Amino acid sequence: MEDSCQALCRSLATQSAVQQEGPDISQSVLYSSLMGLLLVADNEQEASLTLGSGRVGIHNVGNTCFLNAVLQCLSHTLPLRDHCLRQRYLQDMGTRKPPELMNAFSQVLSDLWAPEGSTAVHPGRFYTLFRESVPNFNTYSQQDAQEFLRFLLDRLHSEVNRHSPSSAPSPALTESKHTQLRVEDRAAHLWNRYLERDNSRIVELFSGQLRSSLCCSVCGHQSTTFDVFCDLSLPIPKRSVSGGIVSLKDCLELFSQEEALDSENAPMCDRCGRCTESTKKLSVQRFPRIIVLHLKRFAASRFSISKSTVSVSFPLRHLDLGQYGAQGTGRVLYNLYAVCNHSGTVNMGHYTAYCLEQAGWYCYNDSRVSPASESQLQSNQAYLLFYEMDSCDRKQ
């Protein structure tokens, strides 16, 4: 849009009619005026989006409650919903290949938020395309909601990535230059290199950066690595530290506490040149706008999979994750807007969702939608918690 505006300014500035009407008019004035008009038109387009209530269910097409619950949570991720309904992803894709899955996903959202929608929509085409792209889900057996969310976001991102598959990031720093940088500068460098290869609305909303710090117990050498994440899997303690009900804070503390790596899990120490006992600590280097907290209710042993039924309490507003960030991080506040629940056992389970709307909380149980109270959210069924960063924190 900016290039087109500049070209139009140059064209107008050379017209005799314009020069006669106002000899002092400049390209910069024209550019500012035209950009202003385009922004006004763009804002009018933003305001023209007509939506229904969104209180529409999704048909279960054969053990697809996991899909329905996650789709409802994503449907109530408003910046993603609006981006899809306006098909903004078509304007900045790095490839000409049709984004079939993204188009089908956007169509489901459009049906869910249609001004005069039905009581329930059918996700058939979307589910068919997803199963074709992810063979692991090409059955009608029950699937895990967190795995589905991860695969879905990955596939959607790959279709609407602003960079083409052939684009390569800038050269990596040499080992000597890399070690000379401050930890924060290394993190920023790696994050920018990631964005040079992977950049989409999905990344802007859901991707964060995790920091892993290792300290050798023998020589004290410290090393730091960084990884991109789209959700955080939190362990659930069997009991609360304070003796009461287990809280989300207990889970976060267990996730971020320093872990001793013994001889069996010992990493290689760069200074010692061998595997040594070390300590490991995780923290969040870069917080995403949307953070999905996965409560690890399922644990696999050698012969079976068990499910934790511990009830975990969590705040609905002003969840402060700043203390789990890098050193010096201030308050980072999040507000809850959706919950994906799992009821039943490992083999006989069912997924539902609670989503926040202007009228309050609603329960989405496949094709059925009903009002819900805030007290109903707190249960031993909460599995995925969807939080959005507080708008005040986003402005900083």
Side-chain angles (χ1 to χ4, degrees), residues 18 22 35 51 71 75 151 156 160 173 184 193 202 218 234-236 240 261 330 344 382 390:
V18 173
M35 283 298 293
L51 302 173
L71 285 183
S75 171
F151 278 112
L156 293 178
V160 298
L173 295 177
E184 291 74 14
R193 289 192 77 242
I202 303 296
V218 177
L234 307 181
I236 302 177
S240 172
L261 302 178
D390 192 272

Side-chain angles (χ1 to χ4, degrees), residues 161-230:
N161 191 358
R162 294 179 179 122
H163 299 298
S164 64
S166 59
S167 61
S170 57
L173 295 177
T174 62
E175 183 65 24
S176 59
K177 291 184 177 180
H178 189 74
T179 55
Q180 290 174 3
L181 290 176
R182 295 186 310 125
V183 173
E184 291 74 14
D185 294 333
R186 294 210 312 268
H189 170 72
L190 292 173
W191 179 257
N192 290 332
R193 289 192 77 242
Y194 171 74
L195 293 182
E196 290 174 2
R197 183 181 60 253
D198 293 283
N199 192 348
S200 68
R201 188 58 171 164
I202 303 296
V203 170
E204 290 174 348
L205 293 176
F206 293 93
S207 293
Q209 190 178 37
L210 194 64
R211 174 175 175 173
S212 177
S213 303
L214 281 175
C215 181
C216 176
S217 302
V218 177
C219 68
H221 176 68
Q222 295 187 357
S223 62
T224 306
T225 57
F226 301 93
D227 295 292
V228 176
F229 71 89
C230 66

